[in-house]
Amino acid sequence: MPIASRADAPRLYWIDPEQRLVARIPGRYCVGSPAQLVEEILDQLAAGPSERDRAAGLGSALPSRRWVDLATLDGDLAVLRVTPDAAIGANRVTLAAAQVVLAVTSIAGISRVELVHDDDALQVPLPDGELADGPLTASAYLETLAVPRHHTTDASDWPTVRCPGGGPSAGPRR
């Protein structure tokens, strides 16, 4: 899946000390199938922020182990399965959902995310406290975003890297 430009690169979202989400370019991402790209973005979210970002005070609301993975990808809809035994503190669920929805919808061609458990749509908390079920778009979580202050997403110096198996990819190395 070619990416039109580095400005169109997918994003990861991390939590700043004020409990707002900050966008970062992934450490690397393969430009294979859209499903592979979703899985790679979810893997990087599960791994947490880079050492550099952690040193800058950024964190994650996702549990340390895998909380969510791709169930299906159908057109612009990514259906993500939430792992039942991966607990998240009640005060962090909205931020975790925002991280996942914003990151997955930053992938070109994906505009909606649905979170499911046992194939049933989950009710997901929105920033205003209301519960939503069914597909969510990035607009549901825009108010969780921080105003960029000190980080640029200038990708002019990104090296080209290789995906496992030798396929092409793009993205900065961590």
Side-chain angles (χ1 to χ4, degrees), residues 5-100:
S5 74
R6 289 179 173 147
D8 295 334
R11 304 283 190 265
L12 299 173
Y13 288 85
W14 306 120
I15 302 168
D16 71 11
E18 289 133 18
Q19 303 301 295
R20 308 290 288 178
L21 295 179
V22 177
R24 293 290 192 260
I25 302 294
R28 61 188 302 158
Y29 55 91
C30 293
V31 287
S33 73
Q36 289 170 328
L37 185 52
V38 170
E39 289 170 350
E40 189 162 336
I41 292 300
L42 292 173
D43 285 345
Q44 289 187 42
L45 283 174
S50 67
E51 286 182 38
R52 180 179 175 186
D53 284 340
R54 281 193 303 272
L58 299 180
S60 178
L62 282 90
S64 58
R65 56 188 235 213
R66 188 73 177 228
W67 179 64
V68 64
D69 50 347
L70 180 64
T72 62
L73 185 59
D74 184 15
D76 73 332
L77 174 65
V79 178
L80 307 178
R81 185 178 17 261
V82 174
T83 304
D85 58 347
I88 295 178
N91 61 341
R92 307 287 277 177
V93 174
T94 301
L95 289 171
Q99 281 183 265
V100 169

Side-chain angles (χ1 to χ4, degrees), residues 160-174:
T160 298
V161 296
R162 294 269 173 207
C163 293
S169 72
R173 293 185 183 164
R174 287 192 210 202

